[in-house]
Amino acid sequence: MTNEDYSFQTRLLHNSHKIDPATGAVSVPIQHASTYHQADIDQFGKYDYSRSLNPTREALEDVIAELEGGAKGFAFASGMAAISTAFLLLSAGDHVVITEDVYGGTFRMVTEVLTRLGIEHTFVDMTNLEEVRQAVRPNTKAFYVETPSNPLLKVTDIRAVSELAKATGALTFVDNTFLTPALQRPLELGADIVLHSATKFLAGHSDVVAGLAVVKDEALAARLGFLQNSFGAILGVQDAWLVLRGLKTLHVRLLQSQQSAVKIAHFLDAHPLVRNVYYPGLGHHPQHALQKLEAQGPGAVLSFELEDEEALRAFVSHVKIPVFAVSLGAVESILSYPAKMSHAAMPPEDRRKRGISDSLLRLSVGLENPDDLIADFEQAFSYTKAGTTVK
Ligand SMILES: Cc1ncc(COP(=O)(O)O)c(C=O)c1O
């Protein structure tokens, strides 16, 4: 039996970096050196300078490539550094078709940086394949997918978009932050590059900012590797180690959080003061069946809408257990306000168009007992005015 024969949860622990070959250490050593002595003037060793290659960062890059099933992984200083570096595969005059329900930082990068560099874009509702098809232009070079999307949890058919991209001669990028390879493996569905904010579930403890990219084939990997070295937004070694440690418990954390998220989603869905619940694990979610088909679960992030901003303010000021903060995917539950946090970079008009209202909250479910969270939410709801919410 080789590592590849093991199930995902076993491979989190038993992979190519299970043991340090030099010492037998069962934790990857942190190699701080920025440079490496070269014994020969004509022939340098494998490592020469840590921006180009560092053994600790390399271990994380190898492990994420194994877990996503790609040719090569790359670790960056943040999710945005990974996403921005991947966009540098494009050139002036190229065009990107991108999901309209996208993380606010990616929206900012595309609308305010790529535009300045002469790279065009069209936002589409990626759940509508006809709209995706209509957006294709002769210069379309990439399709950018985020699924489930942030913050409305819309689900894109990765296989269908990848097929369209191939027929167009374009690449498919998938932001897999919400599900991670524990629940969804976009490269197996036809995508070319998987991107992650490793700050979230992969690292999992709200103590590191990191980004990862995994590329399906060697030729594209060589191009992204060139960009990683040229642009230089690499992940530091301490942070690479923290992500490696977090990864070991990814499966158990995500499955536990997901189980709680299902319970909480049903509670919110039945609550008279909640107008809408967005969660692909609910039977009425428009892409519930697709989600079941392309992923192994709906994940642990959901969004819900209260009656109005006043109700939201009352709820947030009385809820006690979740931290009220930017970010998601941690051991503690995180309640976020997309309009002022993850999507603050999106103009109010664009938020409104996308349905990101001022009474929408996003919840990333952590490892607390879900019954404690439900009791906490129930007491916080009692402070919102008893309304006339109609579902
Ligand atoms: C879906 C998604 N992609 C990318 C990012 C950006 O990652 P980072 O904050 O690590 O730069 C985030 C951050 O919230 C995110 O939620």
Side-chain angles (χ1 to χ4, degrees):
M1 228 179 168
T2 64
N3 288 350
E4 288 101 84
D5 300 318
Y6 297 146
S7 64
F8 183 85
Q9 66 200 95
T10 304
R11 280 187 288 133
L12 287 172
L13 303 159
H14 302 276
N15 51 51
S16 58
H17 289 278
K18 170 181 176 178
I19 290 163
D20 172 40
T23 61
V26 297
S27 170
V28 170
I30 300 179
Q31 178 53 268
H32 275 278
S34 58
T35 193
Y36 304 80
H37 172 68
Q38 305 301 325
D40 188 299
I41 193 166
D42 289 318
Q43 225 174 355
F44 285 8
K46 178 178 176 188
Y47 304 100
D48 60 7
Y49 186 60
S50 276
R51 171 162 38 74
S52 312
L53 193 62
N54 167 283
T56 311
R57 194 178 78 236
E58 183 187 26
L60 171 59
E61 293 175 334
D62 290 348
V63 170
I64 192 65
E66 281 175 56
L67 298 175
E68 287 282 10
K72 208 159 166 18
F74 300 93
F76 294 91
S78 67
M80 280 320 304
I83 291 166
S84 304
T85 306
F87 273 131
L88 292 180
L89 289 162
L90 304 176
S91 303
D94 289 351
H95 172 247
V96 189
V97 178
I98 178 165
T99 178
E100 61 182 5
D101 194 26
V102 73
Y103 168 62
T106 308
F107 176 89
R108 178 172 48 208
M109 178 67 198
V110 169
T111 55
E112 295 190 40
V113 182
L114 295 193
T115 307
R116 191 161 52 72
L117 300 179
I119 299 166
E120 303 162 359
H121 62 269
T122 305
F123 284 107
V124 292
D125 174 359
M126 280 251 172
T127 64
N128 180 345
L129 287 172
E130 195 39 47
E131 197 178 322
V132 181
R133 263 184 222 106
Q134 296 287 333
V136 175
R137 298 186 195 163
N139 57 340
T140 300
K141 291 288 158 54
F143 289 71
Y144 190 95
V145 179
E146 193 180 290
T147 182
S149 64
N150 188 359
L152 292 175
L153 288 297
K154 288 186 177 179
V155 177
T156 294
D157 186 337
I158 299 173
R159 202 185 288 277
V161 171
S162 303
E163 275 168 18
L164 179 60
K166 275 200 183 67
T168 310
L171 297 171
T172 305
F173 297 0
V174 177
D175 184 329
N176 202 24
T177 298
F178 273 32
L179 293 187
T180 83
L183 297 175
Q184 176 169 270
R185 284 180 287 285
L187 299 182
E188 290 173 7
L189 299 171
D192 299 288
I193 301 182
V194 174
L195 297 157
H196 282 285
S197 170
T199 314
K200 313 291 160 43
F201 290 102
L202 295 179
H205 294 72
S206 300
D207 54 11
V208 61
V209 173
L212 294 169
V214 181
V215 180
K216 182 148 75 186
D217 75 58
E218 296 284 354
L220 189 59
R223 288 172 60 202
L224 192 62
F226 176 83
L227 286 168
Q228 184 194 38
N229 191 33
S230 303
F231 195 63
I234 50 148
L235 187 63
V237 293
Q238 299 274 4
D239 291 345
W241 186 87
L242 280 168
V243 180
L244 277 165
R245 186 171 68 170
L247 271 172
K248 293 183 184 188
T249 56
L250 170 66
H251 193 264
V252 70
R253 282 186 286 107
L254 191 52
L255 262 64
Q256 179 63 48
S257 290
Q258 175 175 260
Q259 197 179 318
S260 301
V262 170
K263 189 165 186 181
I264 292 166
H266 280 106
F267 158 75
L268 292 171
D269 205 32
H271 203 287
L273 294 177
V274 177
R275 199 177 273 274
N276 278 310
V277 181
Y278 302 92
Y279 184 56
L282 290 174
H284 63 66
H285 184 283
Q287 294 94 36
H288 176 68
L290 171 63
Q291 175 71 13
K292 271 189 153 167
L293 206 67
E294 72 178 2
Q296 280 83 58
V301 180
L302 56 96
S303 292
F304 59 103
E305 203 160 34
L306 300 184
E307 196 159 344
D308 52 28
E309 195 179 329
E310 200 189 323
L312 178 142
R313 284 176 183 274
F315 179 80
V316 169
S317 59
H318 289 95
V319 79
K320 292 195 177 83
I321 296 179
V323 294
F324 181 58
V326 172
S327 204
L328 57 99
V331 287
E332 64 280 336
S333 291
I334 301 178
L335 189 66
S336 301
Y337 186 29
K340 289 204 171 162
M341 292 177 173
S342 57
H343 290 68
M346 198 177 265
E349 189 44 38
D350 288 285
R351 283 203 303 269
R352 246 190 308 279
K353 260 195 267 165
R354 287 161 169 78
I356 305 168
S357 77
D358 289 344
S359 56
L360 183 79
L361 287 167
R362 191 188 70 200
L363 176 70
S364 165
V365 180
L367 298 180
E368 302 89 351
N369 184 320
D371 295 336
D372 290 337
L373 283 163
I374 287 170
D376 185 28
F377 289 179
E378 195 63 271
Q379 69 76 27
F381 278 131
S382 71
Y383 293 91
T384 68
K385 73 176 163 54
T388 49
T389 299
V390 180
K391 298 247 178 176

